Amino acid sequence: MINYWSMRLHEAPFLHAAATARISSGCQSGYLNKKSSENSKWQTKWCLLYRNVMFYYERENSTRPSGVVLLEGTNCQRAVVHDEEKQFSFTITVPSDKQPLIFSTECESECLLWIQAVSMSSMQRVEQENMELHVKLQDVQKRLQAEEVTRNEYQTFTEEQVITIKRLRDENFKLKKHIEELKQEKFQKSEAERGSEEHRLHLLVSSVAHRWYNLTRWRKIIDMYVRSEHAESMKKRNRVLWQLMKSEEEYVSQLGTLVMCFFKPLKMAASSSHPPLSHAQLNLIFRNCETLYYIHQIFLQGGFV
């Protein structure tokens, strides 16, 4: 049976959890002075907090833990120790055990940090945080789906415009061909009737009238299309899409500033000996801002394709 306090661990699940904890980021760790009872001696252990379990090793580079503390249902608080050198101490008490574990740190801030980390180590809290993250993930997925629908609509609109342009080009080509045939026909007629000045004047008037008629006809067609509801809706849609892309650019820029100028430097500083913020505090403050930054970067790059 697993002892709460100290033993040589051979159980595979705990060894696997210990190995997982060593490679996990954001876990509270460091050297602590450990004492099992009032009469026992202080022993220096390298402790690692992972979810609701605390492993402690003989040294930081030890491959196997020398003991484990199951933190589910425990009580962690400041301890009163008569030894002046160990005044920054705290206890971990399990209801089923009469004798608590006593740990000591080098300073007040480190002691409070360990008390807070141990007190928050509960599977119920982890499950609650997982549920909150799951809800946020669903919200992000819904937003991505909505943005994907908008992108598909824009792509459909672009394809329709390409088809319209192609059709107009074909009509323009046929019109030019028809005009060339008319020119050729007129040239042949003019050659046949070159001697008649009155006929040449008639051809000139007919040509001018025909050009004026075509110009007037195309102006009416263009004016009708510009004033149509379809053209107005296309303008509104283009305006909305442009505003969406500009807003996304500004959002990605602000996220980049948050991640590059604040989150990453603080994350690197959290691994130092005197961090301004712990990994747990960073995760609590910044949450999944880095993931959102990369997701919106991908969307923004795809949106300009």
Side-chain angles (χ1 to χ4, degrees):
M1 182 177 179
I2 300 297
N3 189 295
Y4 275 103
W5 306 135
S6 178
M7 67 171 295
R8 293 291 179 181
L9 294 178
H10 300 285
E11 286 76 5
F14 282 94
L15 293 177
H16 177 72
T20 304
R22 292 299 294 265
I23 61 176
S24 298
S25 60
C27 296
Q28 178 75 18
S29 63
Y31 280 99
L32 295 175
N33 297 312
K34 171 182 167 293
K35 190 177 184 182
S36 300
S37 63
E38 290 294 336
N39 298 325
S40 62
K41 295 181 179 180
W42 290 97
Q43 296 177 349
T44 302
K45 303 288 185 180
W46 188 80
C47 300
L48 176 62
L49 187 61
Y50 178 67
R51 294 185 179 178
N52 64 338
V53 180
M54 177 191 283
F55 298 98
Y56 52 88
Y57 301 77
E58 295 298 330
R59 293 176 301 278
E60 183 176 358
N61 58 359
S62 299
T63 57
R64 293 172 62 88
S66 59
V68 63
V69 180
L70 301 181
L71 301 175
E72 196 68 33
T74 59
N75 181 30
C76 183
Q77 58 185 1
R78 286 294 296 267
V80 178
V81 180
H82 300 293
D83 189 350
E84 294 183 358
E85 296 181 356
K86 308 297 181 183
Q87 58 179 327
F88 305 115
S89 303
F90 62 93
T91 62
I92 299 177
T93 307
V94 177
S96 60
D97 254 321
K98 297 181 179 179
Q99 192 64 261
L101 270 178
I102 304 175
F103 291 93
S104 173
T105 62
E106 297 297 330
C107 61
E108 176 77 13
S109 60
E110 189 177 356
C111 179
L112 295 177
L113 187 62
W114 273 99
I115 292 175
Q116 182 182 6
V118 172
S119 300
M120 295 176 63
S121 297
S122 172
M123 288 303 296
Q124 293 181 352
R125 185 178 183 86
V126 172
E127 291 175 359
Q128 182 180 359
E129 292 180 354
N130 288 337
M131 288 294 295
E132 293 176 357
L133 291 175
H134 182 68
V135 171
K136 291 183 179 180
L137 177 61
Q138 289 180 339
D139 181 59
V140 171
Q141 289 176 344
K142 289 180 180 179
R143 291 179 59 187
L144 288 177
Q145 289 176 356
E147 292 171 354
E148 184 67 21
V149 170
T150 304
R151 180 182 175 184
N152 291 336
E153 291 178 354
Y154 179 75
Q155 186 175 1
T156 303
F157 166 72
T158 305
E159 292 174 353
E160 291 176 355
Q161 293 300 311
V162 171
I163 294 174
T164 303
I165 292 173
K166 184 178 180 181
R167 178 175 55 80
L168 291 176
R169 284 179 177 175
D170 293 339
E171 291 179 358
N172 187 32
F173 176 76
K174 291 179 181 179
L175 181 61
K176 286 183 178 180
K177 185 177 180 181
H178 179 64
I179 291 175
E180 290 295 330
E181 292 176 352
L182 289 177
K183 285 182 179 180
Q184 187 67 23
E185 183 180 352
K186 289 179 180 180
F187 177 75
Q188 292 175 357
K189 288 182 178 179
S190 65
E191 286 293 325
E193 301 175 359
R194 182 178 296 179
S196 175
E197 185 68 25
E198 183 179 349
H199 184 66
R200 287 200 298 269
L201 180 61
H202 174 72
L203 291 177
L204 179 62
V205 172
S206 298
S207 176
V208 172
H210 185 71
R211 291 180 181 178
W212 176 83
Y213 172 77
N214 288 335
L215 181 61
T216 304
R217 178 171 174 268
W218 278 107
R219 282 180 178 176
K220 288 181 178 179
I221 292 174
I222 294 173
D223 186 61
M224 288 176 62
Y225 177 76
V226 169
R227 295 180 182 180
S228 66
E229 294 181 358
H230 181 267
E232 194 65 23
S233 65
M234 291 300 102
K235 291 179 182 178
K236 291 180 180 179
R237 180 181 291 182
N238 290 339
R239 198 177 303 118
V240 170
L241 289 173
W242 176 253
Q243 291 176 356
L244 175 63
M245 298 309 299
K246 295 300 290 183
S247 299
E248 187 66 16
E249 284 181 353
E250 183 178 357
Y251 182 56
V252 170
S253 176
Q254 293 175 357
L255 277 178
T257 302
L258 179 63
V259 172
M260 298 300 178
C261 298
F262 295 95
F263 176 68
K264 286 192 174 181
L266 288 173
K267 185 177 181 181
M268 294 177 64
S271 300
S272 63
S273 57
H274 299 287
L277 292 174
S278 67
H279 288 286
Q281 290 173 330
L282 283 176
N283 291 334
L284 183 63
I285 293 172
F286 293 94
R287 294 289 182 177
N288 57 345
C289 65
E290 188 174 14
T291 304
L292 282 175
Y293 174 58
Y294 291 120
I295 288 176
H296 281 274
Q297 263 194 332
I298 294 172
F299 167 73
L300 183 60
Q301 293 172 358
F304 284 109
V305 175

